[in-house]
Amino acid sequence: MNKEQFLDAFQTTLATHFTGTQNWWTKSLFHFTDITNAISILNHGKIYSRKKAIATRLMQNDNANDEVITLTSNEYKKYARLYFGPSTPTQKNNEGIKPKELISNNAHCPVPVMFIFDFKKVFLLNGTKFTDGNLATSPNIYDDIQDLNRLNFNLIYHRAWFNPEDRNTIINARHSEVLVKDELLLENNLRLIAVRSEAEKELLLYQLSDELREKYQNKIFVQPQTGIFTNDWIYVESVAIIEEQLVIKWHLCGNSTKCTNKYKLNIQIILFETNQIKKLEKLSWYPISSITKFNLPEEYINVQFELNLYIDDIKVYSNMVGN
């Protein structure tokens, strides 16, 4: 049995053990990053290892936990790293715009983007390795695909409640990784790109060149499956101009008592024809409802302008809007 035949048989068997979104995971591998890094990845057509991304200054937002990075061997910073499933504990800790006082060890991925790769195609690449736990915990590291049978996917894909005594075992298994030396090409290996909302899709596309926008716009999907994102904190769902008003729909924090009066909001609108700029700033801000409406200045009605939204100085939306 060759590698391709083994992987076909392995995936078929694995898929029979899981239903719903976990069944979909059996065909995929996941790379989670902030939108600033995602733009760099799309511009270069590949995911670099941590070492290479830093050396070439391509890592715009280092959203990893400083403590975890310190515990990870330098050898494995030479690999592009993927997870077998999304919504890992690391992702839950990092995802979304947290109030500044809740960010620890620089672990912060304000606007997340998930690159979703073809499981089989990545494992057909020469030199692909994989682990049975978090690299920071010195797990077993395998380079023979037959050893996929040694992994406990019931633990790797586990996302439900567990007994406290099982915590360390399950959390470690959820962080099992796939390692590709130096870099992983998007071409031929990428299945799709997932974002949390239409607004974040617009933000991502707006920051790409015309050529890349054309290339990737049909690969970017808004939450194509459940469980890809944790959706715990505030973000922009959609932006529209309705009856001379700017209408912003928000995804509110899962626990709004943690977020109330914790953010700074900046709105910037730039008139396309004259570059005239208007700004609105709100301090100690949190929306009182999921929809916020702003009356547009007269000169911005029925014209095209660039809209930029910032929360705590993090760009959460940018696009050309209006007529």
Side-chain angles (χ1 to χ4, degrees):
M1 182 182 294
N2 63 29
K3 285 178 69 174
E4 186 167 5
Q5 290 169 331
F6 170 82
L7 288 166
D8 284 337
F10 177 82
Q11 281 191 287
T12 298
T13 300
L14 185 63
T16 64
H17 292 97
F18 298 95
T19 60
T21 191
Q22 273 100 340
N23 179 273
W24 183 72
W25 295 357
T26 66
K27 303 171 182 65
S28 306
L29 298 169
F30 301 84
H31 180 84
F32 170 80
T33 195
D34 185 66
I35 193 168
T36 52
N37 295 332
I39 292 163
S40 180
I41 288 168
L42 292 170
N43 283 334
H44 291 87
K46 59 189 70 173
I47 293 175
Y48 287 111
S49 67
R50 179 179 183 82
K51 181 178 179 180
K52 194 166 185 178
I54 291 174
T56 54
R57 299 182 179 180
L58 294 175
M59 187 180 290
Q60 301 298 311
N61 176 32
D62 188 352
N63 47 255
N65 185 303
D66 291 342
E67 182 178 352
V68 173
I69 290 300
T70 300
L71 294 172
T72 303
S73 166
N74 287 333
E75 172 62 24
Y76 296 107
K77 295 173 186 175
K78 300 175 184 176
Y79 289 79
R81 296 163 62 177
L82 313 173
Y83 288 118
F84 284 100
S87 295
T88 62
T90 292
Q91 181 182 333
K92 184 170 180 61
N93 288 337
N94 296 7
E95 180 188 309
I97 303 176
K98 296 181 180 180
K100 292 177 181 178
E101 63 271 19
L102 297 182
I103 299 170
S104 62
N105 294 314
N106 292 317
H108 196 207
C109 183
V111 182
V113 175
M114 187 71 78
F115 288 85
I116 301 171
F117 290 88
D118 187 289
F119 184 109
K120 176 180 170 183
K121 288 179 178 179
V122 172
F123 274 103
L124 285 174
L125 298 174
N126 291 330
T128 298
K129 300 177 185 291
F130 54 99
T131 78
D132 59 2
N134 191 330
L135 276 172
T137 65
S138 301
N140 291 309
I141 298 172
Y142 305 101
D143 54 18
D144 184 342
I145 60 169
Q146 301 281 340
D147 287 326
L148 283 168
N149 287 313
R150 300 166 69 97
L151 301 187
N152 187 336
F153 280 89
N154 287 319
L155 296 182
I156 290 172
Y157 289 163
H158 187 286
R159 297 296 184 273
W161 181 89
F162 51 77
N163 290 314
E165 60 266 27
D166 297 325
R167 175 182 174 81
N168 289 344
T169 299
I170 292 174
I171 293 297
N172 192 44
R174 289 176 178 178
H175 283 118
S176 297
E177 297 184 53
V178 178
L179 312 173
V180 180
K181 189 65 178 291
D182 293 328
E183 60 190 43
L184 173 60
L185 291 174
L186 303 186
E187 194 69 34
N188 193 49
N189 298 311
L190 182 68
R191 289 188 67 194
L192 56 97
I193 300 166
V195 295
R196 295 182 299 180
S197 70
E198 288 294 340
E200 292 187 346
K201 179 177 179 178
E202 291 170 14
L203 170 62
L204 178 57
L205 286 170
Y206 186 61
Q207 296 178 89
L208 298 179
S209 67
D210 291 343
E211 180 182 357
L212 289 177
R213 193 178 302 118
E214 179 69 22
K215 181 175 182 178
Y216 288 110
Q217 63 184 349
N218 293 327
K219 278 188 172 290
I220 302 173
F221 294 88
V222 176
Q223 309 228 29
Q225 291 281 337
T226 59
I228 293 177
F229 298 105
T230 62
N231 298 305
D232 285 339
W233 301 97
I234 188 171
Y235 59 85
V236 185
E237 286 275 12
S238 63
V239 172
I241 305 297
I242 302 174
E243 295 180 350
E244 303 181 354
Q245 288 185 314
L246 172 64
V247 180
I248 304 170
K249 182 178 180 181
W250 308 97
H251 170 92
L252 302 181
C253 294
N255 185 347
S256 61
T257 59
K258 286 185 176 181
C259 310
T260 305
N261 300 324
K262 292 290 185 179
Y263 295 108
K264 177 176 72 174
L265 173 69
N266 277 289
I267 301 175
Q268 179 189 84
I269 53 179
I270 306 173
L271 199 60
F272 179 69
E273 291 184 348
T274 64
N275 283 329
Q276 178 182 343
I277 301 174
K278 284 193 179 293
K279 297 180 180 180
L280 173 66
E281 182 175 272
K282 291 178 176 285
L283 303 175
S284 297
W285 167 87
Y286 192 77
I288 59 175
S289 71
S290 61
I291 294 178
T292 304
K293 298 180 180 181
F294 298 94
N295 293 323
L296 286 172
E298 185 177 349
E299 63 268 33
Y300 288 83
I301 296 172
N302 296 323
V303 297
Q304 194 171 48
F305 57 88
E306 182 180 85
L307 172 66
N308 298 302
L309 303 179
Y310 299 85
I311 296 177
D312 282 356
D313 299 320
I314 296 163
K315 184 179 284 187
V316 296
Y317 184 78
S318 185
N319 199 15
M320 295 299 296
V321 299
N323 296 324

